[in-house]
Amino acid sequence: MDRISKLPIGVIETILCLLPIQEAARTSILSKEWRYHWTKIPKLVFIEEDAYEVSTDGAELSVLEQTFDRPSERKIMTNRCKLFYAIYQVLLVHEGPINEFTLRMEVDGSCVEIDHIIRHLSKKNTVKILKLDFNGSYRLPVSLFSFHQLTELYLNGCVLDHQPSSIGFGSLTTLNMQEIWTCDKTLLRLLSSCPLLKRLTINSDGGTIDESGDLTMADLFECLRGIEYLTVWCFIFLSFLPLPRKLPTTLVHLKYLCMECVCFCHIYALPIFVLLIRSSPNLEKLKLVVTEDEVLDESYMGSSTLEDYSDISLEYLNELEILHLRNFENGLVFVKLILAKSPVLKKVWIFLWDELPKDDKLQISEILLSCPWASPMVKINVS
């Protein structure tokens, strides 16, 4: 008995979604009943083969390809044309809604073929999850802002330089932007058009956020009133100076805060953290990823003590995680501050920088394990 064919259509589509699109299409030869099942799957994923992957069969590569350990430009372009042809063919025969679409490939600058794909999907107006992952800097088209049903948007390696009069992201709850090129006004225009946004990740490492000088952190967080999970590259905040002592908008919904590329010796590091903590009364989990880069310019060095932040309270914080901590005075001051102001803190994970001398590691461990903490149930792990 063919039990798989008797499964509900929704279950069959879920199974096909777990297969690569090529394998899902090959199920059309199983029987007449299966001929068009794959054309109705709601999730489409297209991934360009690694342009630098070398075949194990040296005979398939030319002398130049073997010499430079990468395929020729002609072969790369041929593979790319095949990818676009496959995408066009799938979109042409596809029936029913496309709820999730993923495209991962290498691209630099504008690409008409990708523009056409995004425009086609925006007209279909059924996509809820869109993932555009590019190795390069793809200039996003205006049609991106017409996905009215979108709930999750993931952008990597993209240039965002449009400020359309209308942005249709009224249903967006998750926005993840990695290595983006944009300006502060465009970024805030985008964020202000996402009233239901709950999860936000911004990382411009490898990209840039140009500053106009007209906007501050108060303007930035005015767009994030309902945010619950925030992951941000620390130096982004330097595009929104000067810092106010307190944000006019209280981030009452913020539960999780992750700061990446943290440089404790930077003069703005602790003030930025304290500003966010003061405005996040219900924060439950805090994670910091410390940068390994050192600030050599003394004009950017700053120092602080616990007395400077005596008004801070983290009543609901129960988890703290710090990666790559080094023996900077401000870093230890910050950890002491969290321990002293968190009465329900339960778990603390501190991972020291690998290249620290053994004596420094022991010294940091002794300082952290001997300093006072407000929570009687906290467990501190230093490794």
Side-chain angles (χ1 to χ4, degrees), residues 22-66:
Q22 301 94 325
E23 300 298 328
R26 288 180 180 135
T27 62
S28 62
I29 67 172
L30 294 178
S31 67
K32 290 183 179 180
E33 187 177 357
W34 278 81
R35 185 171 183 180
Y36 297 108
H37 272 319
W38 76 276
T39 65
K40 299 180 177 66
I41 57 177
K43 178 181 178 180
L44 299 178
V45 178
F46 297 94
I47 300 176
E48 181 182 38
E49 293 182 0
D50 188 359
Y52 299 97
E53 183 178 355
V54 179
S55 169
T56 55
D57 185 2
E60 296 181 4
L61 300 177
S62 66
V63 175
L64 286 176
E65 289 173 337
Q66 295 181 48

Coordinates of all heavy atoms in Angstrom, one line a residue, residues 22-66:
Q22 N 15.4 20.8 -6.0 CA 15.7 19.8 -7.1 C 15.1 18.5 -6.8 O 14.5 17.8 -7.7 CB 17.2 19.7 -7.4 CG 17.9 21.0 -7.8 CD 18.5 21.7 -6.6 OE1 17.9 21.6 -5.5 NE2 19.6 22.3 -6.8
E23 N 15.3 18.0 -5.6 CA 14.7 16.7 -5.2 C 13.2 16.7 -5.1 O 12.6 15.7 -5.5 CB 15.3 16.3 -3.8 CG 16.8 16.2 -3.8 CD 17.3 15.1 -4.7 OE1 16.6 14.1 -4.9 OE2 18.4 15.3 -5.3
A24 N 12.7 17.8 -4.7 CA 11.2 17.9 -4.6 C 10.6 17.8 -6.0 O 9.6 17.2 -6.3 CB 10.8 19.2 -4.0
A25 N 11.3 18.5 -7.0 CA 10.8 18.5 -8.4 C 10.9 17.1 -9.0 O 10.0 16.7 -9.8 CB 11.6 19.5 -9.2
R26 N 11.8 16.3 -8.5 CA 12.0 14.9 -9.1 C 10.9 14.0 -8.6 O 10.7 12.9 -9.2 CB 13.4 14.4 -8.7 CG 14.5 15.1 -9.4 CD 15.9 14.5 -9.0 NE 17.0 15.2 -9.7 CZ 18.1 15.6 -9.2 NH1 18.3 15.4 -7.9 NH2 19.0 16.2 -9.9
T27 N 10.2 14.3 -7.6 CA 9.1 13.5 -7.2 C 7.9 13.5 -8.2 O 7.0 12.6 -8.1 CB 8.5 13.9 -5.8 OG1 8.0 15.3 -6.0 CG2 9.6 13.9 -4.8
S28 N 8.0 14.3 -9.2 CA 6.9 14.4 -10.2 C 6.9 13.1 -11.1 O 5.9 12.8 -11.8 CB 7.1 15.6 -11.1 OG 8.4 15.6 -11.8
I29 N 8.0 12.3 -11.1 CA 8.1 11.1 -11.9 C 7.5 9.9 -11.2 O 7.4 8.8 -11.8 CB 9.5 10.8 -12.4 CG1 10.4 10.5 -11.2 CG2 10.1 12.0 -13.1 CD1 11.8 10.0 -11.6
L30 N 7.1 10.0 -9.9 CA 6.7 8.9 -9.2 C 5.4 8.3 -9.7 O 5.2 7.1 -9.8 CB 6.5 9.3 -7.7 CG 7.8 9.7 -6.9 CD1 7.5 10.1 -5.5 CD2 8.8 8.5 -6.9
S31 N 4.4 9.2 -10.0 CA 3.1 8.8 -10.5 C 2.4 10.0 -11.0 O 2.8 11.1 -10.8 CB 2.3 8.1 -9.4 OG 2.0 9.0 -8.4
K32 N 1.2 9.8 -11.7 CA 0.4 10.9 -12.1 C -0.1 11.7 -10.9 O -0.2 12.9 -11.0 CB -0.8 10.3 -12.9 CG -0.4 9.8 -14.3 CD -1.7 9.3 -15.0 CE -1.3 8.8 -16.4 NZ -2.5 8.3 -17.1
E33 N -0.4 11.0 -9.8 CA -0.8 11.7 -8.6 C 0.2 12.7 -8.1 O -0.1 13.7 -7.5 CB -1.3 10.7 -7.6 CG -2.0 11.3 -6.4 CD -2.4 10.3 -5.4 OE1 -2.3 9.1 -5.7 OE2 -3.0 10.7 -4.3
W34 N 1.5 12.3 -8.2 CA 2.6 13.1 -7.7 C 3.1 14.1 -8.7 O 4.0 14.9 -8.3 CB 3.7 12.2 -7.2 CG 3.5 11.6 -5.9 CD1 2.7 10.5 -5.5 CD2 4.0 12.1 -4.6 NE1 2.7 10.3 -4.2 CE2 3.5 11.2 -3.6 CE3 4.9 13.1 -4.3 CZ2 3.9 11.4 -2.3 CZ3 5.2 13.3 -3.0 CH2 4.7 12.5 -2.0
R35 N 2.6 14.1 -9.9 CA 3.2 14.9 -10.9 C 3.3 16.4 -10.5 O 4.3 17.1 -10.8 CB 2.5 14.8 -12.2 CG 3.1 15.5 -13.4 CD 2.5 15.1 -14.7 NE 3.1 15.8 -15.8 CZ 2.8 15.6 -17.1 NH1 1.8 14.9 -17.4 NH2 3.5 16.3 -18.0
Y36 N 2.2 16.9 -9.9 CA 2.2 18.4 -9.6 C 2.2 18.7 -8.1 O 2.0 19.9 -7.8 CB 0.9 19.0 -10.2 CG 0.9 18.8 -11.7 CD1 0.0 17.9 -12.4 CD2 1.7 19.6 -12.5 CE1 0.0 17.8 -13.7 CE2 1.7 19.5 -13.9 CZ 0.8 18.6 -14.5 OH 0.8 18.4 -15.9
H37 N 2.5 17.7 -7.3 CA 2.6 18.0 -5.8 C 3.6 19.1 -5.6 O 3.4 20.0 -4.8 CB 2.9 16.8 -5.0 CG 1.6 16.0 -4.7 ND1 0.5 16.6 -4.2 CD2 1.4 14.6 -4.6 CE1 -0.4 15.7 -3.9 NE2 0.1 14.5 -4.2
W38 N 4.8 19.0 -6.2 CA 5.9 19.8 -5.9 C 5.6 21.3 -6.3 O 6.2 22.2 -5.8 CB 7.2 19.3 -6.5 CG 7.3 19.6 -8.0 CD1 6.7 18.8 -9.0 CD2 7.9 20.7 -8.6 NE1 7.0 19.4 -10.2 CE2 7.7 20.6 -10.0 CE3 8.6 21.8 -8.2 CZ2 8.2 21.5 -11.0 CZ3 9.1 22.7 -9.1 CH2 8.8 22.6 -10.5
T39 N 4.7 21.5 -7.2 CA 4.4 22.8 -7.7 C 3.6 23.6 -6.7 O 3.3 24.8 -6.9 CB 3.7 22.8 -9.1 OG1 2.4 22.2 -8.9 CG2 4.5 22.0 -10.1
K40 N 3.1 23.0 -5.6 CA 2.3 23.6 -4.7 C 3.0 23.9 -3.3 O 2.3 24.4 -2.4 CB 1.0 22.8 -4.4 CG 0.1 22.6 -5.7 CD -1.1 21.8 -5.4 CE -2.0 21.6 -6.6 NZ -1.4 20.8 -7.6
I41 N 4.3 23.5 -3.2 CA 4.9 23.7 -1.9 C 5.1 25.2 -1.6 O 5.4 26.0 -2.5 CB 6.3 23.0 -1.9 CG1 7.2 23.5 -3.0 CG2 6.1 21.5 -2.0 CD1 8.6 22.9 -2.9
P42 N 4.8 25.6 -0.4 CA 4.8 27.0 0.0 C 6.1 27.6 0.3 O 6.3 28.8 0.6 CB 3.8 27.1 1.2 CG 4.0 25.7 1.8 CD 4.3 24.7 0.7
K43 N 7.2 26.7 0.4 CA 8.5 27.2 0.8 C 9.5 26.9 -0.3 O 9.7 25.7 -0.7 CB 8.9 26.5 2.1 CG 10.3 26.8 2.5 CD 10.7 26.1 3.8 CE 12.1 26.4 4.3 NZ 12.5 25.7 5.5
L44 N 10.1 27.9 -0.9 CA 11.1 27.8 -1.9 C 12.5 28.3 -1.5 O 12.6 29.4 -1.0 CB 10.7 28.6 -3.2 CG 9.3 28.1 -3.8 CD1 9.0 29.0 -5.0 CD2 9.4 26.7 -4.2
V45 N 13.5 27.5 -1.7 CA 14.9 27.8 -1.3 C 15.8 27.6 -2.4 O 15.9 26.5 -3.0 CB 15.4 27.0 -0.1 CG1 16.8 27.3 0.3 CG2 14.4 27.2 1.1
F46 N 16.5 28.7 -2.8 CA 17.5 28.6 -3.9 C 18.9 29.1 -3.4 O 19.0 30.2 -2.9 CB 17.1 29.5 -5.1 CG 15.8 29.0 -5.7 CD1 14.6 29.6 -5.3 CD2 15.7 28.0 -6.7 CE1 13.4 29.2 -5.9 CE2 14.5 27.6 -7.2 CZ 13.4 28.2 -6.8
I47 N 19.9 28.2 -3.5 CA 21.2 28.5 -3.0 C 22.2 28.3 -4.1 O 22.3 27.2 -4.7 CB 21.6 27.6 -1.8 CG1 20.5 27.9 -0.7 CG2 23.0 27.9 -1.3 CD1 20.8 27.0 0.5
E48 N 23.0 29.3 -4.4 CA 24.0 29.2 -5.5 C 25.1 28.3 -4.9 O 25.6 28.5 -3.8 CB 24.5 30.5 -5.9 CG 25.6 30.5 -6.9 CD 26.1 31.9 -7.3 OE1 26.2 32.7 -6.3 OE2 26.4 32.2 -8.4
E49 N 25.6 27.4 -5.7 CA 26.8 26.6 -5.3 C 28.0 27.5 -5.1 O 28.2 28.5 -5.8 CB 27.1 25.6 -6.4 CG 26.1 24.5 -6.6 CD 26.5 23.5 -7.7 OE1 27.6 23.7 -8.2 OE2 25.7 22.6 -7.9
D50 N 28.8 27.1 -4.1 CA 29.9 28.0 -3.7 C 30.8 28.2 -4.9 O 31.3 27.3 -5.5 CB 30.7 27.3 -2.6 CG 31.8 28.1 -2.0 OD1 31.9 29.3 -2.5 OD2 32.5 27.7 -1.1
A51 N 31.0 29.4 -5.3 CA 31.8 29.8 -6.5 C 33.3 29.4 -6.3 O 34.0 29.3 -7.3 CB 31.6 31.3 -6.8
Y52 N 33.7 29.2 -5.1 CA 35.1 28.9 -4.8 C 35.3 27.4 -4.5 O 36.4 27.0 -4.1 CB 35.6 29.8 -3.7 CG 35.6 31.3 -4.1 CD1 34.5 32.0 -3.6 CD2 36.5 31.9 -4.9 CE1 34.4 33.4 -3.9 CE2 36.4 33.2 -5.2 CZ 35.4 33.9 -4.7 OH 35.3 35.3 -5.1
E53 N 34.3 26.6 -4.6 CA 34.4 25.2 -4.3 C 35.0 24.5 -5.4 O 34.6 24.6 -6.6 CB 33.0 24.6 -4.0 CG 33.1 23.2 -3.6 CD 31.7 22.6 -3.2 OE1 30.7 23.4 -3.2 OE2 31.6 21.4 -3.0
V54 N 36.1 23.8 -5.1 CA 36.8 23.1 -6.2 C 36.4 21.6 -6.2 O 36.3 21.0 -5.2 CB 38.4 23.2 -5.9 CG1 39.1 22.4 -7.0 CG2 38.8 24.6 -5.9
S55 N 36.2 21.1 -7.4 CA 35.8 19.7 -7.6 C 36.9 18.8 -7.1 O 38.1 19.1 -7.3 CB 35.4 19.4 -9.0 OG 35.3 18.1 -9.2
T56 N 36.6 17.6 -6.6 CA 37.6 16.7 -6.2 C 38.2 16.0 -7.4 O 39.3 15.4 -7.3 CB 37.0 15.6 -5.3 OG1 35.9 15.0 -5.9 CG2 36.6 16.2 -4.0
D57 N 37.6 16.1 -8.5 CA 38.1 15.5 -9.8 C 38.8 16.6 -10.5 O 38.3 17.5 -11.2 CB 36.9 15.0 -10.6 CG 37.4 14.3 -11.9 OD1 38.6 14.2 -12.0 OD2 36.5 13.9 -12.7
G58 N 40.2 16.6 -10.4 CA 41.0 17.6 -11.1 C 40.8 17.6 -12.6 O 41.1 18.7 -13.2
A59 N 40.4 16.5 -13.2 CA 40.2 16.5 -14.7 C 39.1 17.5 -15.1 O 39.1 17.9 -16.3 CB 39.9 15.1 -15.1
E60 N 38.2 17.8 -14.2 CA 37.1 18.7 -14.6 C 37.5 20.2 -14.6 O 36.8 21.0 -15.1 CB 35.9 18.5 -13.6 CG 35.3 17.1 -13.7 CD 34.1 17.0 -12.7 OE1 33.8 18.1 -12.1 OE2 33.6 15.9 -12.6
L61 N 38.7 20.5 -14.1 CA 39.2 21.9 -14.0 C 40.3 22.1 -15.0 O 41.1 21.3 -15.3 CB 39.7 22.1 -12.6 CG 38.6 22.0 -11.4 CD1 39.3 22.2 -10.1 CD2 37.5 22.9 -11.6
S62 N 40.3 23.3 -15.5 CA 41.3 23.8 -16.4 C 42.6 24.0 -15.6 O 42.6 24.0 -14.3 CB 41.0 25.0 -17.1 OG 40.9 26.1 -16.2
V63 N 43.7 24.2 -16.3 CA 45.0 24.5 -15.6 C 44.9 25.7 -14.8 O 45.4 25.8 -13.6 CB 46.2 24.6 -16.6 CG1 47.4 25.0 -15.9 CG2 46.3 23.3 -17.4
L64 N 44.3 26.8 -15.3 CA 44.1 28.0 -14.6 C 43.3 27.9 -13.3 O 43.6 28.4 -12.3 CB 43.5 29.1 -15.5 CG 44.4 29.7 -16.6 CD1 43.7 30.7 -17.4 CD2 45.6 30.4 -15.9
E65 N 42.2 27.1 -13.5 CA 41.3 26.9 -12.3 C 42.0 26.1 -11.2 O 41.9 26.4 -10.0 CB 40.1 26.1 -12.8 CG 39.1 26.9 -13.7 CD 38.0 26.1 -14.2 OE1 38.1 24.8 -14.4 OE2 37.0 26.7 -14.6
Q66 N 42.9 25.1 -11.6 CA 43.6 24.4 -10.6 C 44.7 25.3 -10.0 O 45.0 25.2 -8.8 CB 44.3 23.2 -11.2 CG 43.2 22.1 -11.7 CD 43.9 20.9 -12.3 OE1 44.8 20.3 -11.7 NE2 43.5 20.5 -13.5

